[in-house]
Amino acid sequence: MPVRLPFRPRRDAYPADLWTKCPGCAEMLFNKQLDKSLRVCPHCGHHFRIPARTRVAQLIDSGSFAERDGNLQPVDSLAFVDLKAYPDRLLAAQLSTGLRDAAIWGPGTMGGRPVALCVMDFFFIGGSMGPVVGEKITRAGEYALAERVPLIIVSASGGARMQEGTYSLMQLVKTMGIVERVKAARIPYISVMTDPTTGGVFASFAVAGDVNLAEPNALIRFAGDRVSAGTIGEELPVVPRAEFWLSHGFVDRVVPRAQLRDEIIAILSMLIPPSVGGQAESAAPPLARGRSILSAITGALGADNSGESRAVEAGQSRGENSNG
Amino acid sequence: MPVRLPFRPRRDAYPADLWTKCPGCAEMLFNKQLDKSLRVCPHCGHHFRIPARTRVAQLIDSGSFAERDGNLQPVDSLAFVDLKAYPDRLLAAQLSTGLRDAAIWGPGTMGGRPVALCVMDFFFIGGSMGPVVGEKITRAGEYALAERVPLIIVSASGGARMQEGTYSLMQLVKTMGIVERVKAARIPYISVMTDPTTGGVFASFAVAGDVNLAEPNALIRFAGDRVSAGTIGEELPVVPRAEFWLSHGFVDRVVPRAQLRDEIIAILSMLIPPSVGGQAESAAPPLARGRSILSAITGALGADNSGESRAVEAGQSRGENSNG
Amino acid sequence: MVDRLLNRHGAADGQADDPVATVWAHVQQARNLKRPHTLELLKYMADEFIELHGDRYFGDDPAIVAGLAKIGGVRTVVIGFQKGQDTEENIRRNFGLPHPEGYRKAMRMMELAERFAMPVLTFVDVQGAFPGAAAEERGIADGIARSVGMLTRLRTPVVVVITGEGGSGGALGLAVGDTVVALENSIYSVISPEGCAAILWRSGEQSHQAAYAMKVTANEQKDLGIIDIVIAEPGEGAHTDPAEMARRIKEVVLEQFEIHGRLTPDELVDARYAKFRPMGPFGLAEQPETPPERPGCAGWIRGILFRRPSLPQFPGTRRAAPANREEV
Amino acid sequence: MVDRLLNRHGAADGQADDPVATVWAHVQQARNLKRPHTLELLKYMADEFIELHGDRYFGDDPAIVAGLAKIGGVRTVVIGFQKGQDTEENIRRNFGLPHPEGYRKAMRMMELAERFAMPVLTFVDVQGAFPGAAAEERGIADGIARSVGMLTRLRTPVVVVITGEGGSGGALGLAVGDTVVALENSIYSVISPEGCAAILWRSGEQSHQAAYAMKVTANEQKDLGIIDIVIAEPGEGAHTDPAEMARRIKEVVLEQFEIHGRLTPDELVDARYAKFRPMGPFGLAEQPETPPERPGCAGWIRGILFRRPSLPQFPGTRRAAPANREEV
Ligand SMILES: [Zn+2]
Ligand SMILES: [Zn+2]
């Protein structure tokens, strides 16, 4: 619960590193309390944007995440200069975030189940996707494909990174290419859209999950404000947030941050057959000719020993049949 | 051209078997002329409904159609009586149409290409689909599947035949079942919707063509007038005709009757690879592993000898490569 | 009332004095607003249920609910029609009448089921697809056709449970399965009795008569081979003991999953196709020609063409085999 | 002007005095309303063309045309953006700006192409997807994503021809192919120059500068490995001799069909994936850790992280291989 002060002191009485003002309800929130509530305002439910590493820590089993490809770093292949030179923008972002680019990925476990997790970071140049981000998402997908573990991507992005030009645009192809292959291999892919998920990220892997989850009130849109303002397109009558997309058919569930980890674990436990005993579970193998559906439904080698009695019975009766 | 009389005599001056009044423009049309124009009004383009046999004759190469399963006949399995007993309705329809039920099918050729053609007849109890109609459509599809020839179905129907109850409803399953199998086998299926195509026929095979054609102004709808009038649904602001469905994305082309045969032949010549010499053409075989796409594009055994020079070259150069 | 209905089916022994009224009482029972719908039944049947939303094209249809469930420990995709529990919910759910989005959401879930090796369970209770303009112009016909088509080839077991009204194509969109189960008081028909009466009798007043003529009750449909299993309802009907109703459904569904799950996907799809392929009887005339268009032969044609199933077979006509139905 | 543009590309020899103005002239050329669009090019290229309509979900998008064509005798599925020839047609075609229906129609055509063993030819000329409310709420993002995804796995040859503007995701939805061809005066960019200027310079006035910075011209994109083949335009540009332009395109397209058609479907899809997989260069730091969050190390980090392609390689950084590009 938040600390409620008996009176409201002047604004500058709050040291910036100790207190945060909620943009939802204007309440001053004690940072330590805010961290405990996963950076969700306890008064109004406002979901603050969070860094990628914080997100990883909230989702993954403690200590199970092993970052991969942390040494990938952007290059200024176009020698791009706008109001600033691109290298200067990158450097500033790297210094302020401690990241080399706007995404991290690695294998880990959630509820004991191995997953490939990739998380974007909006604080790194607006979470924009250039070749490094696209490469990390692709590698996360390739790992999911090779190890047959679910793919989970948490998006937070303003879209493609303009400073790397069409190389950034091609990340839509790379990421959709691997997403299609993960899906064809019958490996679950859960997309989590957080505030904001826009532009080319929304128009590629973020929208394409087997299950699309979104955080409450997250801004999700393809055409950005400034872009569409310059064209003939009329504005949407409402700002398209997570709840809008739920009713328009592109988001399966709007999930408050406090339930996000549990929901992902629950969904995975539905999409993946149980495995034997305490062994690590893996995604369903492709249905093979001549193999019964029951064996796929209940896992490659049978059912686990926790409340799957029917499935065990089914497996047994099948065994009897083939012996009889 | 129609016979234009210099003055308009009284209505009853037209013998009914010689003249027909056009519901589109109220012009009196000489039946022999109307038949020559495929029963399309030369003044306003109104497409008269035509019997199934007339449609077959308009579409198929002369003399190539061999009706199959003409001995299938409906049974009164529910002992259904409404204002009339069902057998009496059937008998009346049979006597007036010369058909045993509301569809005929058979193999034939169009532009020399073998096809399986099934045509519905609205004059037989409103072209309603009971088990016999469903069976004929299914058998046409089964023939197309077995012989690997295109499937063409011309619809004209008020929907499922109520007098045969859920047996009629199950014809939606039978017909969609065979359509799915024809499609999976990469055999072209062209659906032609004519006036009217409604209810369960629109909601099964008629809407499901690889290419959906429709005759101008044909009424096409799922919910019938009297049905929807009895419920909470509001009426469409316009009567949904062929052109409506073109703009709403469910019809590929609205084709005047005079062009229908040529368009079907042209579309088939696109969807089916050319075959060798004068041999009968057949639909593309499934792409096999290890077989180049070119061989599928240009037909199983190579290209024909009419202007397919590029394809022939390609085939040759491929042969050279594999020899080298 | 349930007993009377059972009697009526069990034997035409005259206990039901007015057969039309008896059928109409059955129709009213099937439409009883208190009957448990998909979500209510899942509350009792499922260990866990995660609803998923949206068709990925246009919207999320509240008249069809769908999601992932564990039922008796079996991972299952559940899709079902959902009427409201009260007026407010009924308005929100469009009185359970689906738009094309509902069938497209259903197809997305079927695809998930196939891909992740989960059997599909559908609950059917709908008077028909929404007959309004928005549904028509967004392709309700296409939604139903494709949903039916996908079910004819889905490579995972599908069990259909008709819980109330199984009305026309709107119901059929979710009603093609390896086993089609119906609750005792449910109905299944090619068109609603009101629609049938409006068209054939040209008067909605004759809906009772139409319901009778179409043989809409679950047990009649079982006799016709359309429905495989009829589940008896507890007490005065499913709504009087939804927990017991759910228990009975769950038992049947899990047994059917197990039976169909023993097949390979190829065998399963072939068996499903073979189940529906022969549905709908027809006669075979020995004369291959269609009847000539001449007067005076009406009696001859009538003699050849129409044989009621109860009458002895006329030599010139063989009746096709009745629809196959496997008692499971 | 064409010659000047060619010179500019051929050598940075100072003939083009103002490089930004030169690029902007190129952008204007790419946007010339008189340039031939899909239907105009097909008139010259195709022996026969049958346009097909509709996405089977919601509508028929007039901004994307699609159909069956015979080109040099080869059965082909053609999909392309279509701007209007005059104001009236431009309004009807929404100025060539597509809604989700356009990409869904395109996907339906791709599926037909795969099933009936027809190669796919796309024409790309669009500033971007329609940015209005209707497109957004019906899922323009989903339409683009799925169209791109389908193209990455389509089991038939795909040749893309960028004829004018290749603008952002809207263009990309039809621009994933085994060979990506561009007309000499066309442009390709991650966002329109105006959009880029509005965001990075916070002023649409800087669109010239943005176009220059993004290296939008066809030949620059070829140097970056995004475009495989640049086709020279006749005379003062494609619009001055559309027949000759179409002849040149046809020659290249048929050649590419033949090259890719020699593969099996598996080989083809693998090759297409391998073509796009390495696109976009990045560096590899020897330090696996991400930079520490402490002041004073800026110079050290800068030294490690940023190496312009033209500079000698810093020992601590290997540049990844540039995007593969096959000269065909
Ligand atoms: Zn707050
Ligand atoms: Zn007329």
Side-chain angles (χ1 to χ4, degrees), chain B residues 21-29 40-48:
Chain B
K21 185 181 175 190
C22 176
C25 62
E27 199 80 25
M28 290 306 293
L29 306 170
V40 175
C41 173
H43 301 292
C44 71
H46 174 79
H47 281 55
F48 286 82

Side-chain angles (χ1 to χ4, degrees), chain B residues 210 252-253 270 289 308, chain D residues 56 73 75 108 115 266:
Chain B
D210 290 315
D252 282 290
R253 297 175 69 80
M270 296 285 193
R289 276 177 193 279
E308 303 285 340
Chain D
R56 300 285 195 272
R75 305 172 307 114
R108 184 166 87 80
R115 200 139 47 84
D266 283 344

Side-chain angles (χ1 to χ4, degrees), chain C residues 192-213:
Chain C
S192 71
E194 289 79 3
C196 181
I199 295 172
L200 291 186
W201 278 265
R202 300 184 183 274
S203 147
E205 305 296 306
Q206 302 295 320
S207 49
H208 302 204
Q209 195 64 43
Y212 177 77

Side-chain angles (χ1 to χ4, degrees), chain D residues 45-80:
Chain D
M45 286 174 65
D47 319 326
E48 202 179 341
F49 176 62
I50 303 176
E51 189 176 351
L52 301 180
H53 293 273
D55 67 348
R56 300 285 195 272
Y57 289 104
F58 186 86
D60 180 57
D61 190 342
I64 292 182
V65 296
L68 311 170
K70 275 188 190 162
I71 299 177
V74 177
R75 305 172 307 114
T76 308
V77 163
V78 178
I79 311 166

Side-chain angles (χ1 to χ4, degrees), chain A residues 1-19:
Chain A
M1 288 303 296
V3 177
R4 276 199 169 273
L5 297 173
F7 60 93
R8 180 175 298 257
R10 287 188 305 130
R11 287 280 155 83
D12 51 18
Y14 295 96
D17 51 345
L18 284 180
W19 299 85

Side-chain angles (χ1 to χ4, degrees), chain A residues 21-29 40-48:
Chain A
K21 185 182 175 189
C22 175
C25 62
E27 199 81 24
M28 293 304 296
L29 306 170
V40 175
C41 172
H43 302 292
C44 72
H46 175 78
H47 282 55
F48 285 82

